[in-house]
Structures are given as structure tokens and as C-alpha cells.
Amino acid sequence: MKSLVIAGTVLFVAFSAFGIATFIETKKNHSLDDLYQKNEIKQEQIETKTSKETIKKDLVEGNYKSKKVKLKPFNEKVVQAKKPKPEIEFEKFSRAAIENIEPVVVEKIEEKNN
Amino acid sequence: MNTRQHVVKQSLHYFLQILFWIPVIFFSLLLVWNTLPYFNFKQDFSFIQERELLFKLPFYRFCFYTHIAAGAFCILSALFQFSTSIIKKRTAIHVWSGRIYVLVVLLIGAPTGMFMSFFAKGSIWEQILFMFMAITWFYATAKGLQTILQKNVLAHKHWMMRSYAMAMTAVTFRVYHLFFYYMGWSHLENYEISLWISVIGNILFAEFFIYIKNKKYIQTFIS
């Protein structure tokens, strides 16, 4: 039984020494605080993802009533109004702009240049 | 003391024992039950995910699994150690489960706990606290073994109580953690405070128990 205590003490000291060595080695590359912080961010991401998935699932399965999600009635006018406006082509825009320049302004610029 | 007073005193003693042992047994079994899923060796536990980098170290992984197995075994076997009827009527059970408890603590539980304490979550103070726990657990168990080999039963009892108090920090920590969680405390704050309360609380409880049973309290450390 005495040898058990001696064996235990040797193991205990060896594990402590190895712990210190591994700790120093790990700290060279990573900070433990960083590790836990990173994981906290990861945890937040998981939670957000899960909540999004839950909402989606609720909507699909028709649980929206329990979550008090209000669905707007379908309105064609509203949909049309929300359609993005067609972009004006640059060439047409510039040509139109040139054509619309008032001759008075052009004359004034020419006077200044002279 | 008349008979009525004696009966009341004895009933109170049994009542307090039940009040103490029912939650202890329940939470100990719950802890062991919750430890079992870890032995499918999958990584999808929040405890492991939180230590993803550490779990890439094979020796840390080895220490973790052996430590939780040893801890679960110690907590289970210790439940038989304090029963007076087992000690008196089934001495062999007490002796053999005690031998295995000592073997597991000295060769597995405390050394692996010491290794893992260097990577404990929290500040440097939490790491020191885990180291203190490992050292105290080892020392108290070794003293418990030494005293029983010297046939000093009373001192053996005291040292094994101290050892058990350290083993039970795993249980009390989770109870406090759950309690503070429902109080709405933030995770890290809850973790640190639960840890300190569980370690210091268990030590104080064990020392108080030893103190009220002994008039010469200081001698319990020397013997």
C-alpha cells in the first residue's frame, strides 16, 4: 500500500510537469482566453442559426399563430410598387442631359472664355 | 436524559441524515447518469466544443475521459463508504470499495485533474483553485490510507471525509450552477462563483462536521 502512495505521487508530479510543459507550448500559439471567446462567438452563431431555423420551421408547419407572426394580406398594388425601378442607361441619360442644356448657359460660358 | 428526550434526539438525527443523504444520492446519480453520454466519444457536447482546440491534444483527451470515468466511479463507490450498517455488517464491501476508491483517486483522478487544471476555464485564480483541489484530493486520500494502515480509525474517518468533500465538488458545483442560472446570472460569472462556493463550501462543511464530532479538532490534522 505504501508503494501505491509512492506510485501515485510519481504520477501526480509527472502529470503536473507535463501539464506545465503542454501549457507553455499551447500558450505560444494560442491564448486560452481567445479560445473561449471564439467559442462564445461560435455559440452565438449557432443560437442565431437555430432561432432562424425555428422561425422558418414554424412558418412552414403553420405554428405562426402561436408565435404571433402577422402575415400581410396579398396586395397586387403593393407588390408592383415594390418592384425596382428600371435603371436609366448612362448613354441615354448623358445625351438627354446635353440636349437639355440651355443655350443661354453655353453663351455665358463662351463669354467668360473670351 | 429521559426516554422521550432520547427518542426525539434519535429521530432528529435520522431525519437530518435523510435530509442530507437523499439529495446527495440523487445528485450523485444524476451526475453519473449525465457523464455516460460522453463515452460515445462524439464531439457534439458543448463542454467539448468549447474546448475544441484542447481536444485536439491526444493527452488532454485521454486525461478528460479517464478523469470523468474515475470521478463517476469515486462518487458512486463513496456512497457505500459512509453507511454504518455496511461498515459493521458488510465490512468486506467497505474495505474493497475503499481500496478501489483510493487506487482510482491516487493513480487516475487526482493526476489527470492536475493536468487539466492548467487549462481550466476562467482566470488564473480558477486554475489555481483546480490545482488546489487536485492536491487536496490526493493528499486527503493518501492520509486516509496511511491512517487506516496504522489502525487509526478515527483519523481515517476524518481524512476520508475531506477526500469525499473534494470529490463532491463536481456535484455541488452543478447544483450551484443550476441555481444561479435560474437567477439569471451570466455564464462566466455563474461558473466562477459556483466553482468557488462549491470548493470552499465543501471544505467548510467537512471541517465543521469533523469539528462538532471532535473536541480536539486541531489534532485531526496532525494524526
Side-chain angles (χ1 to χ4, degrees):
Chain A
M1 282 292 169
K2 206 178 176 184
S3 55
L4 176 69
V5 178
I6 295 165
T9 312
V10 170
L11 260 178
F12 196 86
V13 173
F15 273 62
S16 309
F18 194 60
I20 294 166
T22 318
F23 178 72
I24 293 165
E25 194 61 35
T26 315
K27 256 213 154 174
K28 276 180 191 171
N29 304 321
H30 305 279
S31 150
L32 282 176
D33 289 338
D34 285 350
L35 174 77
Y36 285 111
Q37 212 175 356
K38 269 177 200 169
N39 279 295
E40 272 168 24
I41 293 164
K42 214 180 202 181
Q43 194 62 34
E44 273 174 24
Q45 283 171 346
I46 292 164
E47 277 168 15
T48 322
K49 200 182 166 191
T50 319
S51 61
K52 272 181 187 173
E53 278 168 3
T54 318
I55 292 164
K56 256 187 196 176
K57 209 180 166 190
D58 285 344
L59 287 169
V60 171
E61 289 174 0
N63 294 335
Y64 53 84
K65 278 178 189 170
S66 62
K67 298 276 177 188
K68 292 179 183 176
V69 178
K70 284 181 185 176
L71 292 176
K72 283 178 186 174
F74 181 70
N75 191 336
E76 208 169 300
K77 280 181 185 174
V78 174
V79 175
Q80 277 178 349
K82 279 184 179 176
K83 273 185 183 175
K85 286 174 186 176
E87 283 178 22
I88 303 162
E89 285 175 36
F90 182 70
E91 268 183 47
K92 279 183 186 173
F93 174 78
S94 54
R95 206 174 286 160
I98 292 161
E99 282 168 6
N100 287 333
I101 291 173
E102 286 178 27
V104 185
V105 180
V106 179
E107 279 170 17
K108 276 183 181 176
I109 293 165
E110 280 173 356
E111 273 175 22
K112 268 189 182 179
N113 288 339
N114 292 329
Chain B
M1 191 186 284
N2 62 33
T3 323
R4 277 182 193 153
Q5 280 176 325
H6 182 72
V7 169
V8 168
K9 201 184 170 187
Q10 215 168 23
S11 306
L12 193 73
H13 176 72
Y14 283 126
F15 176 72
L16 287 174
Q17 272 203 332
I18 290 167
L19 207 68
F20 174 75
W21 281 108
I22 285 178
V24 167
I25 292 169
F26 172 75
F27 285 115
S28 299
L29 293 177
L30 189 68
L31 177 81
V32 175
W33 180 253
N34 288 338
T35 310
L36 294 177
Y38 282 100
F39 293 101
N40 64 12
F41 300 104
K42 284 181 182 171
Q43 307 282 304
D44 53 354
F45 296 98
S46 62
F47 185 90
I48 296 174
Q49 283 172 349
E50 206 176 31
R51 292 156 179 82
E52 205 181 343
L53 198 74
L54 289 169
F55 269 80
K56 282 176 185 166
L57 302 171
F59 196 71
Y60 185 89
R61 238 179 7 244
F62 163 76
C63 282
F64 171 75
Y65 286 113
T66 48
H67 185 77
I68 59 167
F73 184 82
C74 288
I75 284 165
L76 271 185
S77 66
L79 292 176
F80 300 100
Q81 297 299 310
F82 295 95
S83 163
T84 321
S85 62
I86 289 176
I87 293 169
K88 283 180 182 169
K89 292 171 190 169
R90 301 270 188 272
T91 317
I93 295 175
H94 176 79
V95 171
W96 278 102
S97 63
R99 279 176 184 169
I100 297 166
Y101 174 86
V102 170
L103 196 87
V104 169
V105 173
L106 297 184
L107 298 182
I108 305 170
T112 50
M114 188 64 185
F115 177 82
M116 286 165 66
S117 67
F118 291 99
F119 309 96
K121 190 177 173 179
S123 66
I124 181 84
W125 297 108
E126 277 71 46
Q127 290 171 0
I128 290 168
L129 187 66
F130 273 109
M131 284 171 208
F132 169 77
M133 275 165 69
I135 293 165
T136 314
W137 199 24
F138 184 91
Y139 183 73
T141 314
K143 282 294 276 184
L145 175 68
Q146 188 201 8
T147 46
I148 198 63
L149 290 175
Q150 292 166 349
K151 310 276 180 203
N152 188 347
V153 178
L154 195 66
H156 167 72
K157 225 175 168 180
H158 297 150
W159 283 109
M160 291 321 283
M161 271 182 199
R162 286 173 182 132
S163 169
Y164 186 55
M166 280 298 103
M168 281 298 284
T169 50
V171 176
T172 49
F173 166 75
R174 279 154 184 87
V175 174
Y176 292 128
H177 198 268
L178 201 71
F179 177 73
F180 293 135
Y181 171 78
Y182 283 113
M183 278 175 72
W185 287 21
S186 70
H187 177 68
L188 197 64
E189 193 182 21
N190 183 350
Y191 164 82
E192 287 175 348
I193 289 171
S194 304
L195 188 65
W196 281 94
I197 293 177
S198 64
V199 176
I200 293 170
N202 281 19
I203 290 172
L204 289 178
F205 187 82
E207 294 308 324
F208 175 72
F209 201 76
I210 294 165
Y211 175 76
I212 55 166
K213 293 267 179 187
N214 291 278
K215 285 171 187 171
K216 292 172 181 173
Y217 172 69
I218 301 295
Q219 277 188 2
T220 62
F221 290 100
I222 303 158
S223 57

